[in-house]
């Protein structure tokens, strides 16, 4: 499996460390057990929406309403489409109205809270910045200061998940 494609934009020396970590199932599992022992408890779309709107109200006050937030099956994780923020423009009478939808990959339903936070913050930041530019990442770091480390861990989590090593089970 071509996991290395998730990490291509990291510096060479870091990529080597990552390769060693993901090649060793036990080390990879240990990394997550030490760092993120517990899963979050936001199981439903409603809980996810409340959580997301909490960040929005705190950091992005003057942005349009979020019309929906939910977990969604994302087919192509190779493209790292873990989350999406879609803007739908709709005609309402004479006015053009934008609707905002955030979808979070189902894989994140059973995951550590910090990694869900990373993705939620990322999708929210697209309210202000369409592209992944400097201002975009500054906003992400403003909402969660460890954003860059979390984004790396989120990619590592994908590997954990796809190797069927994830121990974050949703409570039934
Ligand atoms: Zn993005």
């Amino acid at each position: 499996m071509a996991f290395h494609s998730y990490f291509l934009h990291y510096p060479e020396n870091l990529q080597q460390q990552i390769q060693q970590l993901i090649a060793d199932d036990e080390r990879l599992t240990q990394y997550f057990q030490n760092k993120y022992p517990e899963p979050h408890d936001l199981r439903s779309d409603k809980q996810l929406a409340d959580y997301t709107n909490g960040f929005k109200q705190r950091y992005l006050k003057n942005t349009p309403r979020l019309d929906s937030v939910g977990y969604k099956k994302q087919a192509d994780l190779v493209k790292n489409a873990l989350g999406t923020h879609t803007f739908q423009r709709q005609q309402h009478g004479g006015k053009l109205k934008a609707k905002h939808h955030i979808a979070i990959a189902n894989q994140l339903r059973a995951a550590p809270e910090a990694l869900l936070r990373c993705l939620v913050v990322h999708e929210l930041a697209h309210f202000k910045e369409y592209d992944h530019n400097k201002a975009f990442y500054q906003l992400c770091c403003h909402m969660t200061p460890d954003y860059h480390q979390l984004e790396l861990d989120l990619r590592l989590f994908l590997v954990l998940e796809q190797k069927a090593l994830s121990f974050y089970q949703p409570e039934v």
Side-chain angles (χ1 to χ4, degrees):
M1 280 177 267
F3 293 130
H4 68 274
S5 64
Y6 298 164
F7 305 101
L8 288 177
H9 62 294
Y10 289 105
E12 188 81 22
N13 61 331
L14 185 55
Q15 282 196 48
Q16 278 177 16
Q17 290 176 40
I18 292 167
Q19 285 311 318
Q20 285 171 7
L21 181 62
I22 66 180
D24 185 336
D25 287 2
E26 208 165 313
R27 264 189 68 196
L28 182 63
T29 308
Q30 201 69 56
Y31 178 82
F32 278 94
Q33 279 172 344
N34 291 340
K35 203 163 177 185
Y36 308 109
E38 301 288 337
H40 65 75
D41 57 5
L42 306 168
R43 301 296 174 218
S44 70
D45 286 353
K46 168 83 172 78
Q47 287 168 313
L48 179 63
D50 289 347
Y51 175 82
T52 304
N53 278 307
F55 278 96
K56 186 176 179 297
Q57 274 155 26
R58 184 158 174 208
Y59 296 107
L60 296 161
K61 278 205 178 75
N62 300 313
T63 50
R65 187 179 113 85
L66 200 44
D67 294 282
S68 76
V69 184
Y71 292 108
K72 198 180 153 197
K73 191 170 156 62
Q74 306 279 34
D76 193 0
L77 291 178
V78 179
K79 282 189 188 158
N80 277 322
L82 273 179
T84 52
H85 183 158
T86 48
F87 305 71
Q88 240 171 36
R89 306 209 185 278
Q90 289 176 341
Q91 201 75 38
H92 280 271
K95 270 193 279 181
L96 201 58
K97 203 176 169 241
K99 289 207 162 211
H100 292 262
H101 306 280
I102 286 181
I104 299 294
N106 261 336
Q107 278 83 351
L108 272 294
R109 211 188 274 266
E113 185 273 335
L115 304 189
L116 178 70
R117 187 197 324 141
C118 174
L119 194 54
V120 163
V121 156
H122 181 110
E123 298 313 329
L124 281 174
H126 281 309
F127 265 114
K128 294 263 186 186
E129 300 291 335
Y130 186 78
D131 295 313
H132 297 138
N133 55 24
K134 200 168 169 227
F136 174 86
Y137 286 108
Q138 276 172 351
L139 181 55
C140 288
C141 289
H142 177 63
M143 290 191 271
T144 187
D146 46 356
Y147 179 82
H148 292 289
Q149 179 64 49
L150 292 180
E151 200 187 270
L152 171 58
D153 286 347
L154 184 57
R155 290 165 195 274
L156 289 171
F157 171 75
L158 266 192
V159 176
L160 186 83
E161 235 271 328
Q162 285 173 52
K163 285 181 131 189
L165 296 171
S166 179
F167 52 89
Y168 303 105
Q169 297 306 323
E171 286 153 39
V172 193

